[in-house]
């Protein structure tokens, strides 16, 4: 169903920005002494790929779908993608302990560096804060996409009316056949000064299918009128 593009504009834009930040902060942060894991900028590790880059890209793609899609099903799918990415930002580092040798709580991501407050800021910026924000905006977008409002009904009615006009415009009616109507026979006027007799033959209508009865009536009407009425048997009846 068609929805206005402004329905998920703000949520989609914020999801895109947060996803891009979550995907790039592990590669840019070490340049500003803001590090979790290896203290090297633009250095790819399995932890940075699975826990930061991949969910960040998924969040960006989902946010773009929410931002630009005018179809309800596509926008809902984009919101679900962003919602999954945000949840993975939050729980991914803890779950990575299962398949890696990293120690809790961050597992494969590594250890936060710096003092107490800096480590708190790093945890929020790398995983928990950005993941919670993406989850919140994705859930907001998902809720707005699943609700059908009055404006959605108006847009759907306008789209249906436009489709109907396009269909009617596409049919020219050149080969349409209207109902066949049987036209009434019109009797020809009698000739001036002609002998009185039965009604003259009706006008022949080429558009009407004639049967045997019609042909007999035409032959009778077309027969020349004489002064005598009746035939050979009528003479014996008179006698």
């Amino acid at each position: 169903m068609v929805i206005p593009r402004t329905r998920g504009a703000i949520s989609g834009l914020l999801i895109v920005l947060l996803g891009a930040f979550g995907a790039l902060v592990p590669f840019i942060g070490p340049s500003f002494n803001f590090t979790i894991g290896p203290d090297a900028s633009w250095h790819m590790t399995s932890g940075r790929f699975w826990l930061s880059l991949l969910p960040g890209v998924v969040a960006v793609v989902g946010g773009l779908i929410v931002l630009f899609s005018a179809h309800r099903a596509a926008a809902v799918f984009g919101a679900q993608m962003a919602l999954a990415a945000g949840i993975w930002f939050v729980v991914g580092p803890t779950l990575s302990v299962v398949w890696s040798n990293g120690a809790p709580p961050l597992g494969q991501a590594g250890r936060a560096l710096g003092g107490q407050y800096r480590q708190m800021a790093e945890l929020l910026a790398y995983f928990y804060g950005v993941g919670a924000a993406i989850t919140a905006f994705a859930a907001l977008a998902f809720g707005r996409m699943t609700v059908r409002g009055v404006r959605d009904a108006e847009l759907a009615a306008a789209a249906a009316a436009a489709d109907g006009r396009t269909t009617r415009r596409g049919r020219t009616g050149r080969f349409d056949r209207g109902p066949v109507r049987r036209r009434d026979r019109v009797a020809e006027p009698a000739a001036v000064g002609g002998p009185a007799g039965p009604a003259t033959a009706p006008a022949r209508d080429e558009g009407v299918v004639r049967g045997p009865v019609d042909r007999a009536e035409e032959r009778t009407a077309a027969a020349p009128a004489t002064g005598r009425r009746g035939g050979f048997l009528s003479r014996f009846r008179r006698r």
Side-chain angles (χ1 to χ4, degrees):
M1 177 176 290
V2 180
I3 58 174
R5 294 183 183 273
T6 56
R7 176 66 60 85
I10 298 178
S11 299
L13 180 60
L14 292 176
I15 291 171
V16 170
L17 295 177
L18 290 170
F21 176 81
L24 295 178
V25 67
F27 303 97
I28 300 175
S31 301
F32 304 94
N33 294 326
F34 196 73
T35 307
I36 290 180
D39 191 11
S41 300
W42 303 107
H43 177 67
M44 176 64 72
T45 63
S46 58
R48 288 180 176 179
F49 175 79
W50 291 108
L51 303 178
S52 297
L53 183 62
L54 181 62
V57 171
V58 173
V60 169
V61 174
L64 290 175
I65 295 175
V66 172
L67 180 61
F68 292 108
S69 178
H71 194 273
R72 184 184 300 275
V76 169
F77 177 71
Q80 291 174 343
M81 290 180 59
L83 188 63
I87 294 174
W88 184 251
F89 266 116
V90 176
V91 303
T94 303
L95 293 179
S96 65
V97 178
V98 177
W99 68 78
S100 68
N101 296 326
L106 298 180
Q108 198 174 14
R111 186 174 63 88
L113 303 180
Q116 181 178 1
Y117 294 102
R118 198 174 100 184
Q119 289 183 13
M120 179 189 67
E122 290 170 350
L123 291 175
L124 292 176
Y126 274 65
F127 301 112
Y128 303 127
V130 66
I134 292 175
T135 302
F137 288 115
L140 178 62
F142 181 78
R144 287 178 59 83
M145 296 303 172
T146 54
V147 174
R148 183 178 180 181
V150 177
R151 189 177 179 185
D152 297 337
E154 294 176 352
L155 290 175
D163 293 340
R165 289 194 299 267
T166 303
T167 304
R168 289 194 298 269
R169 192 181 299 114
R171 296 184 59 183
T172 60
R174 181 177 179 183
F175 300 101
D176 293 346
R177 298 183 60 184
V180 178
R181 295 182 298 177
R182 184 183 180 91
R183 291 180 289 183
D184 298 334
R185 295 191 181 95
V186 180
E188 295 181 357
V192 178
T200 57
R204 188 172 182 178
D205 191 353
E206 297 296 338
V208 179
V209 179
R210 299 186 301 279
V213 178
D214 297 331
R215 295 193 183 95
E217 292 177 358
E218 291 180 1
R219 286 196 297 269
T220 303
T226 59
R228 296 179 180 179
R229 302 184 64 180
F232 178 76
L233 297 177
S234 300
R235 299 176 184 176
F236 291 97
R237 291 175 183 173
R238 292 175 185 173
R239 293 177 183 179

